[in-house]
């Protein structure tokens, strides 16, 4: 008697569980389809609105230019003995490097290369904190050279 009740219950349970999976997959497929359609539509709109416009590296060029100008300002701050401003600016340059330059450089040259360049920013901040003027001058030159090389790698024209 137990077998007669058990088999239909298990059969019903199996049918219901499979029916639930089928419904969720159908729902997900339709959601994915509508999501893909809307992203294709927005991409199509972008393509039409961007026709004839020259795409370039303006945000990246600006980031590189900000970095190079920042190193000049740090040098000026150090000459005036304003290590606090120099340190603040070095931190800002470090943040901008992280946000704008490090990701595409990592994509292009790999993490090891990008982290080697990134490490020089850390060293510069440490040199400013310790007020080691000869090390600061050396690291500003190294960071400028690294930025010029990175700009060439990323196809960015510096002015």
């Amino acid at each position: 008697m137990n077998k007669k009740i058990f088999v239909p219950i298990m059969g019903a349970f199996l049918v219901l569980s499979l029916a639930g999976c089928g419904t969720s997959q159908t729902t997900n497929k339709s959601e994915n389809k509508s999501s893909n359609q809307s992203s294709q539509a927005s991409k199509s709109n972008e393509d039409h609105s961007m026709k004839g416009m020259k795409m370039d590296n303006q945000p990246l060029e600006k980031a590189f230019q900000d970095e190079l100008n920042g190193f000049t300002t740090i040098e000026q701050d150090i000459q005036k003995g304003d290590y606090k401003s120099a340190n603040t600016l070095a931190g800002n340059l470090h943040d901008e490097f992280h946000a704008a330059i490090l990701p595409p450089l990592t994509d292009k040259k790999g993490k090891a290369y990008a982290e080697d360049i990134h490490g020089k920013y850390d060293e510069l901040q440490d040199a400013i904190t310790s007020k080691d003027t000869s090390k600061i001058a050396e690291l500003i030159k190294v960071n400028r050279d690294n930025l010029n090389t990175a700009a060439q790698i990323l196809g960015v024209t510096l002015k």
Side-chain angles (χ1 to χ4, degrees), residues 121-145:
Y121 275 81
D122 293 330
E123 288 181 39
L124 177 59
Q125 285 182 284
D126 292 343
I128 293 170
T129 301
S130 66
K131 299 180 180 179
D132 185 346
T133 54
S134 62
K135 190 76 170 167
I136 293 167
E138 174 190 329
L139 287 166
I140 286 176
K141 182 184 179 337
V142 167
N143 278 303
R144 275 192 183 120
D145 292 345

Side-chain angles (χ1 to χ4, degrees), residues 64 68 105 109 113 117 142-156 158:
F64 275 98
L68 293 171
L105 188 59
K109 289 297 281 182
Y113 181 84
I117 290 176
V142 167
N143 278 303
R144 275 192 183 120
D145 292 345
N146 285 343
L147 280 176
N148 285 317
T149 302
Q152 289 175 351
I153 290 168
L154 297 174
V156 174
L158 298 177

Side-chain angles (χ1 to χ4, degrees), residues 7-156:
V7 172
I9 291 174
M10 287 306 288
F13 179 77
L14 182 62
V15 168
L16 290 174
S17 66
L18 289 177
C21 290
T23 303
S24 68
Q25 287 178 347
T26 303
T27 303
N28 287 340
K29 284 180 185 176
S30 66
E31 286 174 4
N32 286 341
K33 187 176 179 181
S34 67
S35 173
N36 285 341
Q37 287 172 347
S38 67
S39 69
Q40 287 174 351
S42 68
K43 187 175 182 181
S44 175
N45 288 341
E46 287 175 14
D47 291 344
H48 291 298
S49 66
M50 297 293 215
K51 275 191 177 167
M53 288 184 66
K54 180 185 170 203
M55 296 303 290
D56 58 357
N57 292 331
Q58 283 183 343
L60 204 49
E61 285 176 12
K62 183 181 179 332
F64 275 98
Q65 207 55 53
D66 288 348
E67 297 286 317
L68 293 171
N69 293 339
F71 291 137
T72 301
T73 304
I74 289 173
E75 287 174 323
Q76 293 168 351
D77 287 344
I78 296 302
Q79 287 174 354
K80 292 187 265 180
D82 190 355
Y83 290 92
K84 183 177 180 185
S85 291
N87 200 23
T88 300
L89 182 54
N92 292 341
L93 294 178
H94 191 171
D95 292 344
E96 185 172 21
F97 179 82
H98 262 276
I101 298 171
L102 190 61
L105 188 59
T106 301
D107 290 344
K108 192 88 166 192
K109 289 297 281 182
K111 187 172 183 167
Y113 181 84
E115 284 301 319
D116 185 45
I117 290 176
H118 169 246
K120 297 303 178 187
Y121 275 81
D122 293 330
E123 288 181 39
L124 177 59
Q125 285 182 284
D126 292 343
I128 293 170
T129 301
S130 66
K131 299 180 180 179
D132 185 346
T133 54
S134 62
K135 190 76 170 167
I136 293 167
E138 174 190 329
L139 287 166
I140 286 176
K141 182 184 179 337
V142 167
N143 278 303
R144 275 192 183 120
D145 292 345
N146 285 343
L147 280 176
N148 285 317
T149 302
Q152 289 175 351
I153 290 168
L154 297 174
V156 174

